[in-house]
Amino acid sequence: MWIPLWPASSAISGNVINALFTAELVVCVLILALVFGLIWVFCIRYRHSTTVDRGHPSQRSWVFEIGWTSATLVAFLVLFVWGANAYVWLYEPPRADLELYVVGKQWMWEIEHPGGQREINALHVPNGKIVRLVMASQDVIHSFFIPAFRMKHDVVPGQLETMWFQPTQTGTYRLECTEFCGTEHAHMTGEVIVMTPAAYAEWLSNQGADKTLAAQGEQLFRNYGCSGCHGVNSTVHAPSLVGLYGSLVHLNDGTTVRADERYIRDSILLPRSQVVAGFAPVMPSFSGQISEADTLKILAYIQSLNPSGNAP
Ligand code: HEC
Ligand SMILES: [Cu+2]
């Protein structure tokens, strides 16, 4: 916390980003000091009134030329490798302890917990656990930003985004939308409340949720007629969704894809884009008929049909 301008880091990702940021700052300050130092030295040494020898310009020096070129190259390569590593690590979530569903819309964040607890512009999470967010936007691009965690992710309409974090400190932190999304954008803020696991469990049980997200999704699965084709008693030739989440799916164009959140969402909204091998493309598109929140509930239901599917 020795740079007073930034909030204290309260997540693993915060420490990683802080270290990288500090290293970049140090490199920049050193280069700046060298360049401006030399400017000052030459300004003073060769000012108009001095009598220093100006008659013998020194020979071109390859030592300096090669020295500064390779030194900056090495410095930037080190920063690049370091940054790329951190990026890949941040964008490839490990196996999560807890998965939450987030819908951004003008102008609020709606958050659903697996137990069916729902909150707006507030995010309660247990300390020390790996939390994974599955995020969607109902209208325009929003961006989900928790400054104290140094975590930010755009939420783009028409596609699912995921991000993860692991808080290290209980407390209340700011949650912001950092993508200009309309007139009330500045008020699209909220709080992240990191609680001890026991307090979080108690908070969950006080929310009065009667149905888990997966159970609500199962209800929707029947209401939208999915079970008519995908159910066990169906007469339509459609794949079973049991064990689908996280598995490898063979498509009729010969490719293989991992059935992650995005694949399942696209299967519902754009069924023609990826057709499972051995099946006719008879599934109707539900694009425009199912809200983002309902899609996430159905997704939670399909995920619950393979509890071990959340593999890294
Ligand atoms: C008219 C029958 C029918 C209806 C209704 C239907 N589906 Fe499908 N669905 C299929 C068929 C056939 C396939 C396989 C061909 C394909 O991929 O399009 C499929 C594929 C899928 C897949 C990919 C499965 C895999 O193994 O990769 C998912 C996920 C899915 N459907 C979910 C749903 C959901 C959710 C609903 C309801 C909102 C729904 N389906 C409604 C017939 C249907
Ligand atoms: Cu926004």
Side-chain angles (χ1 to χ4, degrees):
M1 204 24 217
W2 52 273
I3 299 182
L5 295 176
W6 63 13
S9 152
S10 336
I12 307 270
S13 47
N15 303 340
V16 172
I17 301 290
N18 281 7
L20 188 58
F21 178 79
T22 311
E24 281 183 13
L25 195 68
V26 167
V27 169
C28 290
V29 166
L30 287 181
I31 292 175
L32 211 68
L34 180 69
V35 171
F36 277 83
L38 286 176
I39 289 177
W40 277 103
V41 166
F42 292 142
C43 278
I44 293 168
R45 190 173 150 84
Y46 292 103
R47 69 189 189 278
H48 184 61
S49 57
T50 58
T51 53
V52 278
D53 180 14
R54 293 180 174 85
H56 302 281
S58 59
Q59 290 310 109
R60 168 178 294 196
S61 160
W62 287 107
V63 178
F64 278 124
E65 194 74 22
I66 292 172
W68 75 259
T69 309
S70 39
T72 40
L73 182 71
V74 168
F76 281 103
L77 275 183
V78 167
L79 284 180
F80 170 76
V81 171
W82 187 348
N85 263 329
Y87 180 88
V88 169
W89 175 78
L90 283 175
Y91 278 81
E92 281 200 350
R95 173 174 281 269
D97 299 315
L98 175 67
E99 202 159 47
L100 304 178
Y101 301 81
V102 177
V103 176
K105 53 177 142 180
Q106 286 168 330
W107 286 277
M108 63 176 86
W109 296 107
E110 217 179 80
I111 286 130
E112 308 245 21
H113 294 254
Q117 296 84 356
R118 204 166 152 257
E119 46 184 340
I120 286 182
N121 290 342
L123 174 59
H124 288 77
V125 288
N127 191 22
K129 299 279 190 250
I130 298 176
V131 180
R132 184 155 182 257
L133 304 180
V134 178
M135 307 189 293
S137 165
Q138 186 98 312
D139 35 50
V140 297
I141 303 181
H142 301 278
S143 191
F144 193 90
F145 181 32
I146 308 171
F149 297 175
R150 312 286 190 274
M151 281 303 271
K152 167 152 74 173
H153 206 301
D154 280 3
V155 186
V156 181
Q159 113 186 30
L160 282 185
E161 305 290 344
T162 56
M163 89 182 219
W164 71 279
F165 55 79
Q166 186 175 12
T168 52
Q169 191 104 55
T170 56
T172 301
Y173 308 106
R174 278 160 58 198
L175 164 64
E176 317 247 0
C177 178
T178 54
E179 182 69 53
F180 181 66
C181 59
T183 48
E184 296 285 314
H185 162 70
H187 300 288
M188 192 165 163
T189 58
E191 282 179 341
V192 178
I193 301 106
V194 179
M195 318 166 89
T196 61
Y200 174 70
E202 191 181 323
W203 177 84
L204 280 181
S205 61
N206 287 337
Q207 294 307 300
D210 50 336
K211 259 183 159 186
T212 67
L213 215 54
Q216 296 176 37
E218 187 178 10
Q219 183 71 47
L220 293 168
F221 195 73
R222 274 196 299 274
N223 295 353
Y224 283 109
C226 320
S227 54
C229 290
H230 290 285
V232 273
N233 303 321
S234 160
T235 52
V236 179
H237 181 52
S240 161
L241 303 184
V242 175
L244 169 68
Y245 177 54
S247 68
L248 286 175
V249 179
H250 300 284
L251 303 178
N252 68 353
D253 61 2
T255 58
T256 303
V257 292
R258 170 88 51 200
D260 57 6
E261 290 87 2
R262 278 182 193 210
Y263 169 80
I264 292 173
R265 181 183 189 280
D266 287 348
S267 295
I268 302 171
L269 302 179
L270 309 160
R272 294 288 149 88
S273 66
Q274 289 173 313
V275 175
V276 186
F279 292 93
V282 293
M283 175 165 162
S285 165
F286 288 84
S287 176
Q289 298 177 45
I290 304 187
S291 70
E292 289 298 340
D294 281 1
T295 313
L296 288 179
K297 285 175 187 162
I298 294 177
L299 172 67
Y301 167 63
I302 295 176
Q303 286 176 313
S304 75
L305 298 175
N306 189 15
S308 61
N310 168 27

